[in-house]
Amino acid sequence: MAFPLLLVVLGTSACQVGAGRVYSEADYSAHAARTKQAGVDTVARLLPTAQLAGTGPGARPEAAAREESSTSCVDDFGFDKDDVTRGEPRYSWTLHYATRADYLTAVAHLRADWKAKGLTVTDEEPWDRPGKPGLPGISTKDHGIELSLQQAWFGDEPTVYASGQCMRYHQQR
């Protein structure tokens, strides 16, 4: 009894995901650009400033952005047809601070900056590892874009993440 009910629930949910507006590829590109710019702006606001991973001193955040992949926006059930695809722009910037205190100061400064803009700030818990305390972080949502300064999802480095919403759009051929 539970399995058929689960299939009905999943099928209903999948249909809801497949419905809705389909944007143009230009709309998606503009959304991706806004998402990246929100991350660039976040990195630029950090005080003290951090060295961007893989770059030399004075590197620009625009050039240091890494595009992340998203598996949560995939059409697993094949509802999108023809030239419709899905995308969820995500970017990250890995940071290097001289000390833990510098990182914590940057978190406090960014928290104050976001609150001054009227944004709701959420604490992100540190991921402690044996013998090594994790890094606390913060996150917010600004015009549909999720931003955070926190410990890297799969590492220990301080990282800024910018994640846009999942969008269905017509892919140009």
Side-chain angles (χ1 to χ4, degrees):
M1 176 73 176
F3 184 69
L5 180 60
L6 177 63
L7 286 176
V8 169
V9 169
L10 286 175
T12 302
S13 297
C15 289
Q16 290 171 351
V17 170
R21 182 171 176 197
V22 178
Y23 295 85
S24 70
E25 189 167 31
D27 290 335
Y28 178 77
S29 293
H31 175 57
R34 282 190 305 276
T35 301
K36 184 176 181 180
Q37 188 60 51
V40 166
D41 293 346
T42 299
V43 171
R45 284 188 188 95
L46 296 176
L47 289 176
T49 57
Q51 181 178 348
L52 296 163
T55 66
R60 298 180 47 154
E62 296 88 350
R66 283 194 333 253
E67 194 164 355
E68 303 269 327
S69 62
S70 171
T71 57
S72 65
C73 189
V74 176
D75 177 17
D76 290 331
F77 296 101
F79 286 102
D80 295 332
K81 301 293 182 204
D82 301 323
D83 65 341
V84 175
T85 191
R86 296 172 190 228
E88 182 178 8
R90 293 178 149 197
Y91 300 92
S92 67
W93 293 259
T94 303
L95 312 170
H96 293 293
Y97 281 99
T99 66
R100 181 180 177 88
D102 285 347
Y103 168 77
L104 295 175
T105 300
V107 170
H109 179 268
L110 187 59
R111 177 190 308 277
D113 184 60
W114 283 347
K115 283 188 174 187
K117 288 176 60 179
L119 300 173
T120 301
V121 179
T122 304
D123 289 323
E124 298 295 332
E125 294 297 318
W127 303 329
D128 296 333
R129 307 223 194 279
K132 185 173 184 179
L135 298 171
I138 56 173
S139 63
T140 192
K141 192 174 239 184
D142 188 9
H143 294 94
I145 299 170
E146 294 179 23
L147 300 166
S148 67
L149 170 58
Q150 65 186 49
Q151 184 174 337
W153 292 325
F154 300 107
D156 296 327
E157 306 83 12
T159 305
V160 168
Y161 292 101
S163 180
Q165 299 167 331
C166 180
M167 285 180 71
R168 297 171 66 227
Y169 63 96
H170 290 284
Q171 189 172 24
Q172 301 297 318
R173 292 181 183 189

